[in-house]
Amino acid sequence: MTGTIPQLSLQQVSRRYGTDRQWFAVRQATLEVEHGEFVAIIGPSGSGKSTLLNIMGLLDNSWEGCFEVDGVQVNKLSSPERDRLRSRMFGFVFQSSYANPYESTARNAALGLAIRGESLDYQGVEVSRALETVGLSGKASSLARNLSGGERQRLALARAVATNPQVILADEPTGNLDSSSTSKVLELLKELNQRGTTVIVITHDPAVAEHADRVIEVRDGVVTEPVKGRQVQVRQAPIDGPIQERIPARQDQGILIRTTRRWQERILRAINNVSSRPLRSATLVAAFTIAIAGMITASGIGASASQQISDRLASAALDEVRVEVLSGTSREERLNRAQTIKGLAHVTNVGEIASIDASQARTSRLAQFQSVDGKAFPGSTVAVDEAALSLFEVETFPPQAAKLFGSEDAGKVALVGEAVSERLGVQWGGFGAEVWVSGTPYSVIGTISSAPRAQNLATSVVIPISAISNPASQLVVRTDIGFSAGVAEAIPLALSPAAPAEVAVSTTGDLRNLRIGVSQDLDGLLNSISIALLGLAVLSASSAMFLSVQTRIQELALSRALGLSQSGVAAIFIWEGIIVGFAGSIAGLSVGLVASVGVSAAQGWTAVMPWSAVALAPLVGVVSGAVSAFLPAVRAARIDPAEAIR
Ligand code: ADP
């Protein structure tokens, strides 16, 4: 197929706005633009010029009618195909062209090439050429925010030129410029046109229109034929052949390299976005830092605490067995049982302990009062025999109090736990004091200074078990280390050969299950706190990013106009989330480690940090960062590239 095909051909193209009551911004426009033309579009404000330009530049796709670019029907193209065609075919210059103020002039000019995935070398060559064309070579490395209005407009032109577009679409490119800048931009446009680039420019400026081959007028959405026309030397359409070949296809050759470069570009832009707004980014990172620090501290403290419980229980688990004694069992029977158990192999000692119910004990300093300050006694009341005191490694002050406590003729005596002696108004050593238990006075003969194997005794009033009649109790059996399980099995048979099942025996090994339960509860609690913190971090990061989309509309719309796909825009946001989440996780990890080591040290525990939590933290940061960026990414991807023109 050969022949002249118009470069752009619109047949009966209309664009409606509004939902309920619709109106036409462009009404049945029929227009052809040949290769190499310089077309000026004029008309009053609001007449539909920009709308027309948006359609021609593939920035807007919601029109009706037929529009062909080099003979290719645009409405048959998929969205990514349109993005690619736009990026190869068109260069855009807008009235207030956006430039990223935090990037250099050269990098701003390279945006279109970078979005395409061109190599840095190629970008360098093309950008130098483009900056030279517009006379900005000297400013290549200045930040865009330091450019004047005229320079910024020339930068926009350089950005359009750098991609070697076949068509330059300019929307009032000189609208904000003084006359000398205007003529410079105009000269540039003419020069490009003379080199073969089609130029379509919206203008109010008669001087600009004067330079054009053709002037088209738009009024109330109606495109009228040339008011000024001169015979144009129409150049032959440079590309002939099957239509499909004219859509810039993904280049198979080096596709991997281009894709990699595109990814690099997106990550780079994300890094740049994060680093160019340090205060905002620091706030976002801080939210993740708090959450991850919370998570690490929680799992560190959880693990250290359960290790602590585990250590304490481990020794008891190996050498202690308890046998339940029902209330009403006579003293004689109890002694018999203790004696029987003592006879078993590997049993070293047997003692007895009974907890007295607080309501029954009504423990107090004086008979008629609850305690010195009228409040109920906060500790527990237990009854033990002498053997139990030695089993629990109880130390008393004075030291001989324990012995006295155990002697047969001691009568009603009591030991008071150090931690509660003050509450009972009992002095150190307890001399001369009395405490009342179950309405009976007991003479205090000493205080308990430590009881490493029954720490609750430090908060208890302890009386001799012989002083109360037949309570429900436990026989505490000490075995050789490692024999608790074996002895626990032997005891029921020894005590009740006929019905061993009736003897209730437990080892503190059973408490291990309790420990697992307790530490699971603890972990569960700490985990839910850290999940809540993480949720808050995700929410706050998400809302901050969502708001930032609004402030970046121009930048994002421009990128879309230059060919960045919707997924590309979304990817930049997701990467920003990932970077922020990752930075937060590393900071949080450090804070969390310090905090959990600090807390453990303050408690006198051995600090334990589950490595899984340390390894998981960056992953949690990255994933939650990406999740927080998801909605903003979707919102950003939906930005209409035509926004760049407004
Ligand atoms: P011009 O470029 O000639 O000043 P426009 O093409 O920008 O005019 O606008 C043409 C008409 O379409 C105006 O009435 C404008 O308000 C309307 N218009 C443009 N864009 C939108 C939009 N996104 N939504 C609704 N109306 C729009």
Side-chain angles (χ1 to χ4, degrees), residues 4 34-38 193-194 196 198 213-214 230-237:
T4 311
E34 305 292 344
H35 293 86
E37 270 196 287
F38 193 134
N193 178 245
Q194 272 154 14
T198 306
D213 298 322
R214 252 166 91 196
R230 65 181 149 91
Q231 209 44 46
V232 191
Q233 191 69 44
V234 174
R235 296 171 180 88
Q236 179 87 14

PDB file of all heavy atoms in Angstrom, residues 4 34-38 193-194 196 198 213-214 230-237:
ATOM      1  N   THR A   4      -0.345   8.881  -0.119  1.00  0.00           N
ATOM      2  CA  THR A   4      -0.257   9.855   0.955  1.00  0.00           C
ATOM      3  C   THR A   4      -1.366   9.617   1.957  1.00  0.00           C
ATOM      4  O   THR A   4      -2.544   9.671   1.604  1.00  0.00           O
ATOM      5  CB  THR A   4      -0.391  11.271   0.374  1.00  0.00           C
ATOM      6  OG1 THR A   4       0.500  11.369  -0.715  1.00  0.00           O
ATOM      7  CG2 THR A   4      -0.080  12.314   1.405  1.00  0.00           C
ATOM      8  N   GLU A  34      -1.308  17.120   7.650  1.00  0.00           N
ATOM      9  CA  GLU A  34      -0.314  16.373   6.867  1.00  0.00           C
ATOM     10  C   GLU A  34       1.033  16.378   7.570  1.00  0.00           C
ATOM     11  O   GLU A  34       1.289  17.232   8.434  1.00  0.00           O
ATOM     12  CB  GLU A  34      -0.169  17.022   5.477  1.00  0.00           C
ATOM     13  CG  GLU A  34      -1.459  17.167   4.692  1.00  0.00           C
ATOM     14  CD  GLU A  34      -2.046  15.828   4.248  1.00  0.00           C
ATOM     15  OE1 GLU A  34      -1.316  14.815   4.270  1.00  0.00           O
ATOM     16  OE2 GLU A  34      -3.237  15.784   3.885  1.00  0.00           O
ATOM     17  N   HIS A  35       1.893  15.458   7.153  1.00  0.00           N
ATOM     18  CA  HIS A  35       3.246  15.430   7.697  1.00  0.00           C
ATOM     19  C   HIS A  35       3.946  16.758   7.439  1.00  0.00           C
ATOM     20  O   HIS A  35       3.891  17.277   6.327  1.00  0.00           O
ATOM     21  CB  HIS A  35       4.064  14.313   7.049  1.00  0.00           C
ATOM     22  CG  HIS A  35       3.569  12.959   7.421  1.00  0.00           C
ATOM     23  ND1 HIS A  35       2.556  12.327   6.756  1.00  0.00           N
ATOM     24  CD2 HIS A  35       3.952  12.118   8.397  1.00  0.00           C
ATOM     25  CE1 HIS A  35       2.322  11.147   7.308  1.00  0.00           C
ATOM     26  NE2 HIS A  35       3.162  10.997   8.308  1.00  0.00           N
ATOM     27  N   GLY A  36       4.582  17.302   8.442  1.00  0.00           N
ATOM     28  CA  GLY A  36       5.402  18.487   8.268  1.00  0.00           C
ATOM     29  C   GLY A  36       4.645  19.798   8.248  1.00  0.00           C
ATOM     30  O   GLY A  36       5.238  20.838   7.985  1.00  0.00           O
ATOM     31  N   GLU A  37       3.370  19.795   8.566  1.00  0.00           N
ATOM     32  CA  GLU A  37       2.625  21.055   8.589  1.00  0.00           C
ATOM     33  C   GLU A  37       2.894  21.834   9.869  1.00  0.00           C
ATOM     34  O   GLU A  37       3.265  21.258  10.900  1.00  0.00           O
ATOM     35  CB  GLU A  37       1.116  20.770   8.514  1.00  0.00           C
ATOM     36  CG  GLU A  37       0.583  20.712   7.097  1.00  0.00           C
ATOM     37  CD  GLU A  37      -0.947  20.821   7.091  1.00  0.00           C
ATOM     38  OE1 GLU A  37      -1.606  19.840   7.484  1.00  0.00           O
ATOM     39  OE2 GLU A  37      -1.453  21.886   6.689  1.00  0.00           O
ATOM     40  N   PHE A  38       2.680  23.150   9.788  1.00  0.00           N
ATOM     41  CA  PHE A  38       2.689  24.009  10.969  1.00  0.00           C
ATOM     42  C   PHE A  38       1.285  24.571  11.080  1.00  0.00           C
ATOM     43  O   PHE A  38       0.882  25.418  10.285  1.00  0.00           O
ATOM     44  CB  PHE A  38       3.714  25.140  10.782  1.00  0.00           C
ATOM     45  CG  PHE A  38       4.023  25.904  12.039  1.00  0.00           C
ATOM     46  CD1 PHE A  38       5.351  26.193  12.375  1.00  0.00           C
ATOM     47  CD2 PHE A  38       3.014  26.354  12.897  1.00  0.00           C
ATOM     48  CE1 PHE A  38       5.649  26.901  13.539  1.00  0.00           C
ATOM     49  CE2 PHE A  38       3.316  27.050  14.045  1.00  0.00           C
ATOM     50  CZ  PHE A  38       4.633  27.328  14.369  1.00  0.00           C
ATOM     51  N   ASN A 193      10.036  22.653  12.789  1.00  0.00           N
ATOM     52  CA  ASN A 193       9.125  22.403  11.681  1.00  0.00           C
ATOM     53  C   ASN A 193       9.899  22.281  10.365  1.00  0.00           C
ATOM     54  O   ASN A 193       9.629  21.402   9.539  1.00  0.00           O
ATOM     55  CB  ASN A 193       8.085  23.519  11.615  1.00  0.00           C
ATOM     56  CG  ASN A 193       7.140  23.338  10.454  1.00  0.00           C
ATOM     57  OD1 ASN A 193       7.106  24.134   9.530  1.00  0.00           O
ATOM     58  ND2 ASN A 193       6.380  22.244  10.464  1.00  0.00           N
ATOM     59  N   GLN A 194      10.901  23.139  10.243  1.00  0.00           N
ATOM     60  CA  GLN A 194      11.678  23.077   9.001  1.00  0.00           C
ATOM     61  C   GLN A 194      12.463  21.783   8.891  1.00  0.00           C
ATOM     62  O   GLN A 194      12.766  21.323   7.807  1.00  0.00           O
ATOM     63  CB  GLN A 194      12.609  24.287   8.904  1.00  0.00           C
ATOM     64  CG  GLN A 194      11.906  25.455   8.229  1.00  0.00           C
ATOM     65  CD  GLN A 194      12.472  26.790   8.653  1.00  0.00           C
ATOM     66  OE1 GLN A 194      13.541  26.867   9.253  1.00  0.00           O
ATOM     67  NE2 GLN A 194      11.742  27.852   8.356  1.00  0.00           N
ATOM     68  N   GLY A 196      11.236  19.052   9.665  1.00  0.00           N
ATOM     69  CA  GLY A 196      10.300  17.986   9.302  1.00  0.00           C
ATOM     70  C   GLY A 196       9.299  17.624  10.375  1.00  0.00           C
ATOM     71  O   GLY A 196       8.439  16.764  10.173  1.00  0.00           O
ATOM     72  N   THR A 198       6.031  17.964  12.491  1.00  0.00           N
ATOM     73  CA  THR A 198       4.727  18.612  12.400  1.00  0.00           C
ATOM     74  C   THR A 198       4.519  19.412  13.682  1.00  0.00           C
ATOM     75  O   THR A 198       4.800  18.903  14.766  1.00  0.00           O
ATOM     76  CB  THR A 198       3.618  17.539  12.278  1.00  0.00           C
ATOM     77  OG1 THR A 198       3.959  16.695  11.192  1.00  0.00           O
ATOM     78  CG2 THR A 198       2.252  18.162  12.056  1.00  0.00           C
ATOM     79  N   ASP A 213       1.466  27.524   8.644  1.00  0.00           N
ATOM     80  CA  ASP A 213       1.045  27.226   7.278  1.00  0.00           C
ATOM     81  C   ASP A 213      -0.468  27.386   7.168  1.00  0.00           C
ATOM     82  O   ASP A 213      -0.993  27.828   6.161  1.00  0.00           O
ATOM     83  CB  ASP A 213       1.386  25.774   6.924  1.00  0.00           C
ATOM     84  CG  ASP A 213       2.876  25.514   6.984  1.00  0.00           C
ATOM     85  OD1 ASP A 213       3.652  26.410   6.594  1.00  0.00           O
ATOM     86  OD2 ASP A 213       3.270  24.418   7.439  1.00  0.00           O
ATOM     87  N   ARG A 214      -1.129  26.948   8.253  1.00  0.00           N
ATOM     88  CA  ARG A 214      -2.591  26.951   8.237  1.00  0.00           C
ATOM     89  C   ARG A 214      -3.088  27.442   9.576  1.00  0.00           C
ATOM     90  O   ARG A 214      -2.487  27.159  10.612  1.00  0.00           O
ATOM     91  CB  ARG A 214      -3.070  25.497   8.108  1.00  0.00           C
ATOM     92  CG  ARG A 214      -3.669  25.120   6.774  1.00  0.00           C
ATOM     93  CD  ARG A 214      -3.743  23.615   6.755  1.00  0.00           C
ATOM     94  NE  ARG A 214      -4.992  23.121   7.247  1.00  0.00           N
ATOM     95  CZ  ARG A 214      -5.190  21.852   7.625  1.00  0.00           C
ATOM     96  NH1 ARG A 214      -4.197  20.979   7.593  1.00  0.00           N
ATOM     97  NH2 ARG A 214      -6.358  21.465   8.023  1.00  0.00           N
ATOM     98  N   ARG A 230      -2.300  28.826   3.063  1.00  0.00           N
ATOM     99  CA  ARG A 230      -1.410  28.960   1.915  1.00  0.00           C
ATOM    100  C   ARG A 230      -1.028  27.558   1.495  1.00  0.00           C
ATOM    101  O   ARG A 230      -1.120  26.596   2.280  1.00  0.00           O
ATOM    102  CB  ARG A 230      -0.229  29.858   2.232  1.00  0.00           C
ATOM    103  CG  ARG A 230       0.737  29.363   3.281  1.00  0.00           C
ATOM    104  CD  ARG A 230       1.815  30.444   3.452  1.00  0.00           C
ATOM    105  NE  ARG A 230       2.353  30.507   4.787  1.00  0.00           N
ATOM    106  CZ  ARG A 230       3.419  29.817   5.170  1.00  0.00           C
ATOM    107  NH1 ARG A 230       4.017  29.004   4.341  1.00  0.00           N
ATOM    108  NH2 ARG A 230       3.875  29.930   6.396  1.00  0.00           N
ATOM    109  N   GLN A 231      -0.658  27.459   0.240  1.00  0.00           N
ATOM    110  CA  GLN A 231      -0.376  26.130  -0.275  1.00  0.00           C
ATOM    111  C   GLN A 231       0.802  25.539   0.491  1.00  0.00           C
ATOM    112  O   GLN A 231       1.867  26.130   0.586  1.00  0.00           O
ATOM    113  CB  GLN A 231      -0.039  26.220  -1.779  1.00  0.00           C
ATOM    114  CG  GLN A 231      -0.409  24.976  -2.569  1.00  0.00           C
ATOM    115  CD  GLN A 231      -1.807  24.434  -2.204  1.00  0.00           C
ATOM    116  OE1 GLN A 231      -2.794  25.161  -2.109  1.00  0.00           O
ATOM    117  NE2 GLN A 231      -1.898  23.140  -1.990  1.00  0.00           N
ATOM    118  N   VAL A 232       0.562  24.420   1.069  1.00  0.00           N
ATOM    119  CA  VAL A 232       1.615  23.795   1.872  1.00  0.00           C
ATOM    120  C   VAL A 232       2.327  22.755   1.037  1.00  0.00           C
ATOM    121  O   VAL A 232       1.700  22.038   0.268  1.00  0.00           O
ATOM    122  CB  VAL A 232       1.009  23.078   3.088  1.00  0.00           C
ATOM    123  CG1 VAL A 232       2.091  22.664   4.049  1.00  0.00           C
ATOM    124  CG2 VAL A 232      -0.024  23.939   3.751  1.00  0.00           C
ATOM    125  N   GLN A 233       3.616  22.767   1.178  1.00  0.00           N
ATOM    126  CA  GLN A 233       4.381  21.701   0.537  1.00  0.00           C
ATOM    127  C   GLN A 233       4.182  20.452   1.404  1.00  0.00           C
ATOM    128  O   GLN A 233       4.831  20.277   2.421  1.00  0.00           O
ATOM    129  CB  GLN A 233       5.866  22.085   0.499  1.00  0.00           C
ATOM    130  CG  GLN A 233       6.726  21.171  -0.370  1.00  0.00           C
ATOM    131  CD  GLN A 233       6.408  21.320  -1.855  1.00  0.00           C
ATOM    132  OE1 GLN A 233       6.260  22.433  -2.367  1.00  0.00           O
ATOM    133  NE2 GLN A 233       6.257  20.202  -2.555  1.00  0.00           N
ATOM    134  N   VAL A 234       3.208  19.646   0.982  1.00  0.00           N
ATOM    135  CA  VAL A 234       2.914  18.469   1.799  1.00  0.00           C
ATOM    136  C   VAL A 234       3.940  17.388   1.522  1.00  0.00           C
ATOM    137  O   VAL A 234       4.179  17.028   0.385  1.00  0.00           O
ATOM    138  CB  VAL A 234       1.495  17.944   1.496  1.00  0.00           C
ATOM    139  CG1 VAL A 234       1.247  16.654   2.232  1.00  0.00           C
ATOM    140  CG2 VAL A 234       0.471  18.992   1.892  1.00  0.00           C
ATOM    141  N   ARG A 235       4.531  16.967   2.608  1.00  0.00           N
ATOM    142  CA  ARG A 235       5.542  15.928   2.445  1.00  0.00           C
ATOM    143  C   ARG A 235       4.875  14.567   2.373  1.00  0.00           C
ATOM    144  O   ARG A 235       3.837  14.342   2.968  1.00  0.00           O
ATOM    145  CB  ARG A 235       6.540  15.961   3.602  1.00  0.00           C
ATOM    146  CG  ARG A 235       7.340  17.245   3.632  1.00  0.00           C
ATOM    147  CD  ARG A 235       8.150  17.317   4.923  1.00  0.00           C
ATOM    148  NE  ARG A 235       8.921  18.543   4.990  1.00  0.00           N
ATOM    149  CZ  ARG A 235       8.451  19.687   5.491  1.00  0.00           C
ATOM    150  NH1 ARG A 235       7.229  19.747   5.937  1.00  0.00           N
ATOM    151  NH2 ARG A 235       9.213  20.747   5.527  1.00  0.00           N
ATOM    152  N   GLN A 236       5.494  13.699   1.614  1.00  0.00           N
ATOM    153  CA  GLN A 236       4.997  12.328   1.489  1.00  0.00           C
ATOM    154  C   GLN A 236       5.018  11.660   2.867  1.00  0.00           C
ATOM    155  O   GLN A 236       5.953  11.861   3.640  1.00  0.00           O
ATOM    156  CB  GLN A 236       5.948  11.564   0.543  1.00  0.00           C
ATOM    157  CG  GLN A 236       5.592  10.114   0.317  1.00  0.00           C
ATOM    158  CD  GLN A 236       4.599   9.969  -0.843  1.00  0.00           C
ATOM    159  OE1 GLN A 236       4.384  10.905  -1.622  1.00  0.00           O
ATOM    160  NE2 GLN A 236       3.992   8.814  -0.961  1.00  0.00           N
ATOM    161  N   ALA A 237       3.956  10.922   3.152  1.00  0.00           N
ATOM    162  CA  ALA A 237       3.971  10.167   4.405  1.00  0.00           C
ATOM    163  C   ALA A 237       5.190   9.270   4.413  1.00  0.00           C
ATOM    164  O   ALA A 237       5.403   8.526   3.466  1.00  0.00           O
ATOM    165  CB  ALA A 237       2.704   9.311   4.505  1.00  0.00           C
TER     166      ALA A 237
END
